[in-house]
Amino acid sequence: MEPEQGETERRPKRVRKRRQAPSELGGAAEAMRAGWQRAARLPLVKKPRLSTILFTENCEVTHDQLCELLKYAILGKSSVPKPSWCQLFHQNYLNNVVIFVLQGMSQLHFYKFYLEFGYLRKAFRHKFRLPSPSSDFLAEITGLQKKEATGDLSTTSTESLPSVSSNVSVNLQNDPIIQKYGSKKVGVTKCLLTKEEMEKFQFPLQGFPDCEDFVPTKCNGSVTDSSPLFGLDCEMCLTSKGRELTRVALVAEGGGCVMDELVKPDNKILDYLTSFSGITKQSLDPVTTKLKDVQKKLKALLPASAVLVGHSLDLDLKALRMVHPYVIDTSLLYVREQGRRFKLKFLAKAILGKDIQNPNRLGHDATEDARTALELAQYFLKYGPKKVAELNLEAIVNRQELQAADQELSGTAGTQQPNASVLDCLHSAGQKLLLLTREAETSKLSSSGNCQTVTCLSNKEVLEQARVEMPLFPFSIVQFSFERLSPALAEEMNQRLIIKWTEMSTVYAGPFSKTCNVAAVKTLFKSFGPVHSIALILETHQPHFRVQYEVLEAAQLAIESLNGAVVEGGRIQVQRPVTELTLDCDTLLNELEEDAENRGAIYLSGVSEAFREHLLQQSSLFVGLEAVILPKDFKTGKQRSYCFLKFKTFCSAQSALKIFRSNEWKLKGRHALTPRHFYTWLQSLPPESRRSPGLQLESPSLEQQALQILNMDHPKITAWRWGRKIGKLYHSLGPGTLCLILLPGTKSTHGSLPGLGLMGIKSEEERVIPDTCL
């Protein structure tokens, strides 16, 4: 649902200060009425608020996307674009930004030592995955480039490009374009993405998950270097089911537009994304063309040997819900270091001398973008990789960033350039960044002119300095450094975590009579959620069933519904296996329910397509509904028979749960226990980590290893101690502070561990938590 832009709140604190406490009931009622009358006369106060409904499907937020949010938090929409992955309302009411970085920790730490992180998991409603870090995490999230710009680049038109290469010493052999394509000219087939590359960059492919209902083009595989090229670009809007197509443009090799269609989405539009798409309600209202119409037209227009060209073309094909195996993606064709990509606007200016995506124009022009991508591919084919490498595009990008910074110094820039860093934004606002760290020499950030760096000798000193220095700076990064896990310990922790979750998601049920209806029993247990396996246990005097669920909520719902119930003529018990990994299961379940991310979420089983349609029709019944999360099968891509609904408050979620359990809806459900990104991560773990549940005994040889956990340097103790300390530090922050806690993850030759981010805005109403709760 689209958040309300004008959302406001009153100041209850002022009302409480003036309220009296009469001893008589009549006096109390009169005082209450007087209090509300005074509250009605108070000025309305806007408060900064976060919404993360626009999360990507894998719940991963890149370092560049983090940088988007940080820049927007500093300057607001008048100077920088809004972040693409979340919404920050009333940015101008933010007072401070504070980032706590727990260097050396990862998502694995957080969920392996979930109970030890105490308050942090309760305080931060928004959690998201982070990719494995690069060598300079701080420079990545603040938008600093690692390469220093050289050469005098006063303009980036094609006429000035030769002088760029003559003034800059370019080592062509190390250029990523030369390393991929060589120095000789190449043909069309050499520029095509391979199937492996398309899979890596998540292009839709026939037979792959999530692509079963995608429409294939009539390509017959006869692609050669003389095959025709077509430029393609699409614009999207945000609907109740995600991003959907609103415009498609197709341009032929000569530059002529052969297709430019507006498309009416099938679902309710929440945001037209006009600043990017140029689409408005007025322009789309009279449109009757649907997605299936443009799919049919594209199939008719494209010859069998067509090659599609676009910039980030995977997004366009997903919006079209079409599969085409032969593509040239200019964001990947013009290879950049470390997997980064050049913007289409930059390439258009640097290569073609064209100015596109004019900020004074409403949104992008799909035909212009399609034609530009096509011309970029033609330039590459005509002049070859060596010519492109000699242009030294990386130096041009860096030079543009320096020019943007100079413009800010002279006061000539109206808005920040897309590649501006967090430091550039702070400088334009007349502010400096505070960096507290033990590892100043490892980051480019510490040597930047607009950064006040305080280097400490220990984490304890970082903590002490943070208490003193943070209130003096509007933007602070506080970095703690912890010992990284050894590869062997990381692998063991991964395995034990997945085993623990498997055992917690497993129930044993019985006893049943020997003549029970096995099919009926299986159907009963499947009604609580997706089942991984059901086994009939005959080792006992009377039969039992072992049911392993795919989600923890289903197992808990089965226990709550059936333990002690009469099934198939007998009273049964439903319980989890008791192992060393499930001894604290009840405690963990209680804490999961109190997690800030789960407080407003509910789990429902028995969901069908009819339910989804009914929910949209009856959405007015559910106050505060923020998002409907419809999980898909990891292998087939089909939607599952369960879902999660996310509400603004716990009370709204509780009210909705009662409605869904009523006779009208007849669904089974309970409050959610797990965040969405957690299952995405579990599914990404290697299958060898999984095993059937069963009794585990601690062998005597591991007794010494178990005793080592009591050592103060063990990751478990570290998580407990520093979770408490950072929790106290968070409570010292003033209201209106955007706070992020980042566990960057680790990367080594032995493997990578993804990171985790926690995010929230400190509110005035947050009470001080007693020390025992931290």
Side-chain angles (χ1 to χ4, degrees):
M1 296 175 65
E2 188 175 10
E4 291 131 356
Q5 299 292 336
E7 184 179 57
T8 57
E9 298 180 34
R10 303 192 182 277
R11 292 178 176 166
K13 189 173 181 181
R14 288 179 59 180
V15 176
R16 286 197 296 268
K17 282 184 178 179
R18 298 179 181 179
R19 188 178 297 167
Q20 304 298 317
S23 57
E24 297 181 5
L25 183 61
E30 183 180 346
M32 184 177 293
R33 283 194 298 270
W36 282 114
Q37 288 170 358
R38 285 193 295 269
R41 293 194 296 269
L42 289 174
L44 297 178
V45 178
K46 295 180 180 179
K47 296 182 180 181
R49 183 173 65 83
L50 278 168
S51 174
T52 49
I53 300 172
L54 301 184
F55 268 150
T56 53
E57 283 192 14
N58 64 358
C59 305
E60 183 174 276
V61 176
T62 67
H63 301 151
D64 286 342
Q65 288 174 322
L66 263 184
C67 186
E68 288 176 7
L69 172 64
L70 298 179
K71 292 192 293 185
Y72 185 76
I74 298 167
L75 293 180
K77 62 183 179 181
S78 62
S79 300
V80 294
K82 292 182 179 180
S84 60
W85 59 282
C86 69
Q87 293 173 301
L88 172 58
F89 300 104
H90 313 314
Q91 168 273 339
N92 53 324
Y93 288 86
L94 276 180
N95 294 322
N96 299 88
V97 178
V98 175
I99 304 173
F100 296 113
V101 179
L102 281 58
Q103 193 67 39
M105 290 195 179
S106 64
Q107 185 171 217
L108 174 61
H109 284 81
F110 187 81
Y111 284 109
K112 176 63 177 174
F113 308 122
Y114 183 82
L115 294 178
E116 283 69 31
F117 274 104
Y119 173 74
L120 297 184
R121 53 184 159 77
K122 296 181 181 179
F124 293 91
R125 184 186 181 198
H126 307 290
K127 301 181 183 72
F128 49 86
R129 296 174 66 200
L130 288 170
S132 300
S134 63
S135 58
D136 195 343
F137 178 72
L138 295 184
E140 286 282 338
I141 66 171
T142 54
L144 289 175
Q145 302 297 326
K146 297 176 184 176
K147 289 183 67 176
E148 296 293 337
T150 55
D152 183 16
L153 311 177
S154 57
T155 181
T156 55
S157 67
T158 50
E159 290 77 16
S160 65
L161 290 178
S163 64
V164 170
S165 58
S166 63
N167 289 333
V168 180
S169 177
V170 182
N171 186 350
L172 295 183
Q173 295 306 313
N174 293 332
D175 191 283
I177 291 179
I178 298 297
Q179 289 181 348
K180 180 173 182 178
Y181 298 102
S183 56
K184 296 182 179 179
K185 291 184 180 182
V186 295
V188 169
T189 54
K190 180 71 173 177
C191 298
L192 296 176
L193 291 180
T194 64
K195 185 176 181 180
E196 291 73 23
E197 287 176 321
M198 294 180 74
E199 184 175 353
K200 176 183 177 182
F201 295 110
Q202 299 181 349
F203 276 72
L205 292 170
Q206 203 157 6
F208 275 62
D210 298 338
C211 301
E212 289 186 343
D213 60 342
F214 279 42
V215 177
T217 57
K218 56 185 180 183
C219 179
N220 60 10
S222 58
V223 175
T224 67
D225 286 341
S226 58
S227 292
L229 306 182
F230 289 84
L232 177 70
D233 187 69
C234 295
E235 302 296 343
M236 283 78 83
C237 69
L238 182 68
T239 74
S240 57
K241 287 198 175 182
R243 293 179 183 265
E244 290 190 53
L245 184 72
T246 52
R247 184 181 178 185
V248 56
L250 188 71
V251 176
E253 277 187 294
C257 180
V258 295
M259 182 180 181
D260 188 358
E261 294 275 358
L262 292 177
V263 185
K264 178 71 69 70
D266 292 326
N267 299 289
K268 181 181 178 182
I269 297 176
L270 303 180
D271 190 342
Y272 286 85
L273 304 176
T274 305
S275 59
F276 298 102
S277 67
I279 305 297
T280 63
K281 185 178 187 300
Q282 292 73 20
S283 63
L284 211 56
D285 272 346
V287 175
T288 58
T289 304
K290 290 289 190 176
L291 177 62
K292 62 182 181 181
D293 300 320
V294 296
Q295 289 173 336
K296 184 178 180 180
K297 189 171 182 179
L298 271 174
K299 285 188 69 173
L301 284 172
L302 292 175
S305 59
V307 174
L308 290 179
V309 180
H311 198 81
S312 296
L313 192 56
D314 56 313
L315 301 178
D316 300 314
L317 289 172
K318 287 176 181 176
L320 285 165
R321 302 190 71 79
M322 296 188 75
V323 175
H324 189 83
Y326 298 109
V327 299
I328 296 176
D329 192 326
T330 50
S331 72
L332 300 170
L333 181 68
Y334 287 83
V335 190
R336 198 178 179 190
E337 293 180 343
Q338 299 173 350
R340 293 175 293 169
R341 303 192 193 189
F342 292 112
K343 302 274 188 186
L344 181 65
K345 180 180 177 68
F346 166 77
L347 290 175
K349 183 67 175 176
I351 301 294
L352 308 173
K354 293 173 57 176
D355 287 308
I356 65 170
Q357 299 174 359
N358 191 319
N360 297 322
R361 187 174 60 200
L362 187 65
H364 298 176
D365 184 335
T367 302
E368 181 184 65
D369 289 356
R371 185 178 290 114
T372 300
L374 180 60
E375 289 173 1
L376 286 170
Q378 291 170 331
Y379 182 97
F380 194 97
L381 292 168
K382 181 178 180 180
Y383 293 104
K386 184 179 179 182
K387 174 67 174 178
V388 175
E390 287 172 347
L391 298 178
N392 201 358
L393 296 173
E394 196 71 42
I396 298 176
V397 164
N398 290 325
R399 181 59 180 174
Q400 285 185 351
E401 292 174 359
L402 290 179
Q403 288 176 341
D406 289 340
Q407 287 177 338
E408 288 299 324
L409 285 171
S410 62
T412 59
T415 59
Q416 285 290 336
Q417 296 296 317
N419 291 326
S421 69
V422 167
L423 291 179
D424 295 330
C425 295
L426 284 169
H427 185 275
S428 68
Q431 300 170 346
K432 291 189 75 171
L433 182 147
L434 170 67
L435 172 62
L436 296 169
T437 180
R438 291 173 56 189
E439 304 177 354
E441 70 282 354
T442 64
S443 176
K444 183 182 176 183
L445 179 64
S446 61
S447 59
S448 301
N450 202 39
C451 177
Q452 178 69 46
T453 303
V454 179
T455 306
C456 305
L457 298 177
S458 65
N459 284 336
K460 182 179 179 181
E461 186 180 346
V462 171
L463 187 70
E464 292 170 349
Q465 289 290 333
R467 294 192 184 106
V468 176
E469 299 289 344
M470 280 195 315
L472 306 178
F473 289 82
F475 195 110
S476 305
I477 297 179
V478 182
Q479 184 181 47
F480 301 96
S481 300
F482 303 98
E483 185 177 353
R484 295 187 177 186
L485 299 176
S486 66
L489 181 57
E491 182 179 358
E492 179 190 350
M493 285 172 56
N494 253 331
Q495 290 178 349
R496 291 179 75 83
L497 180 62
I498 191 70
I499 291 170
K500 179 170 185 168
W501 222 257
T502 300
E503 291 179 344
M504 287 179 60
S505 301
T506 299
V507 299
Y508 284 84
F512 289 90
S513 69
K514 296 178 181 179
T515 59
C516 71
N517 186 333
V518 174
V521 172
K522 289 184 177 182
T523 300
L524 174 62
F525 279 97
K526 287 179 180 179
S527 68
F528 297 105
V531 171
H532 181 270
S533 64
I534 299 181
L536 181 62
I537 308 298
L538 299 176
E539 295 295 326
T540 51
H541 175 64
Q542 289 181 278
H544 286 67
F545 285 87
R546 185 186 70 215
V547 185
Q548 183 180 333
Y549 288 98
E550 294 181 20
V551 294
L552 181 60
E553 288 83 357
Q556 186 64 19
L557 192 55
I559 293 173
E560 293 167 349
S561 304
L562 295 182
N563 188 34
V566 175
V567 179
E568 290 289 310
R571 193 172 299 278
I572 65 169
Q573 290 184 326
V574 182
Q575 57 192 353
R576 289 186 174 86
V578 178
T579 74
E580 78 231 34
L581 297 179
T582 60
L583 288 174
D584 63 352
C585 182
D586 290 340
T587 302
L588 181 55
L589 288 170
N590 290 334
E591 294 299 319
L592 283 168
E593 283 196 335
E594 292 299 316
D595 190 299
E597 189 169 3
N598 298 332
R599 287 280 291 167
I602 62 174
Y603 162 84
L604 297 175
S605 179
V607 172
S608 63
E609 184 64 36
F611 161 81
R612 289 186 277 271
E613 295 176 0
H614 192 34
L615 179 62
L616 289 175
Q617 295 170 359
Q618 302 291 328
S619 58
S620 59
L621 291 175
F622 307 106
V623 178
L625 178 61
E626 285 189 318
V628 180
I629 301 167
L630 302 169
K632 295 182 179 179
D633 187 277
F634 190 62
K635 295 181 179 179
T636 66
K638 293 182 178 179
Q639 288 187 343
R640 309 303 303 273
S641 60
Y642 67 97
C643 73
F644 292 89
L645 303 185
K646 208 165 187 178
F647 294 84
K648 288 183 179 179
T649 66
F650 174 81
C651 292
S652 297
Q654 180 75 7
S655 299
L657 194 56
K658 291 180 180 178
I659 295 174
F660 286 123
R661 288 170 171 170
S662 66
N663 291 333
E664 180 184 356
W665 292 81
K666 296 180 181 179
L667 295 175
K668 293 184 172 75
R670 72 174 324 277
H671 288 282
L673 294 170
T674 44
R676 180 182 167 205
H677 69 266
F678 184 73
Y679 283 118
T680 308
W681 176 48
L682 285 183
Q683 289 172 340
S684 69
L685 293 177
E688 57 268 20
S689 300
R690 308 175 185 272
R691 63 154 177 77
S692 297
L695 182 64
Q696 297 293 301
L697 297 175
E698 191 75 37
S699 64
S701 62
L702 296 179
E703 184 177 343
Q704 189 63 33
Q705 180 181 343
L707 290 174
Q708 289 176 358
I709 294 179
L710 300 179
N711 188 294
M712 294 301 287
D713 293 330
H714 190 275
K716 183 185 182 79
I717 304 300
T718 300
W720 175 73
R721 290 179 64 202
W722 286 96
R724 293 176 69 244
K725 292 179 185 293
I726 294 172
K728 290 181 179 180
L729 203 56
Y730 171 75
H731 276 294
S732 71
L733 301 176
T737 298
L738 172 63
C739 183
L740 291 91
I741 297 180
L742 304 179
L743 287 66
T746 59
K747 195 171 188 177
S748 69
T749 55
H750 301 284
S752 300
L753 294 175
L756 182 74
L758 296 83
M759 179 172 67
I761 296 177
K762 180 77 180 298
S763 66
E764 196 171 356
E765 289 76 17
E766 286 190 58
R767 60 187 178 89
V768 177
I769 302 296
D771 191 58
T772 54
C773 296
L774 289 174

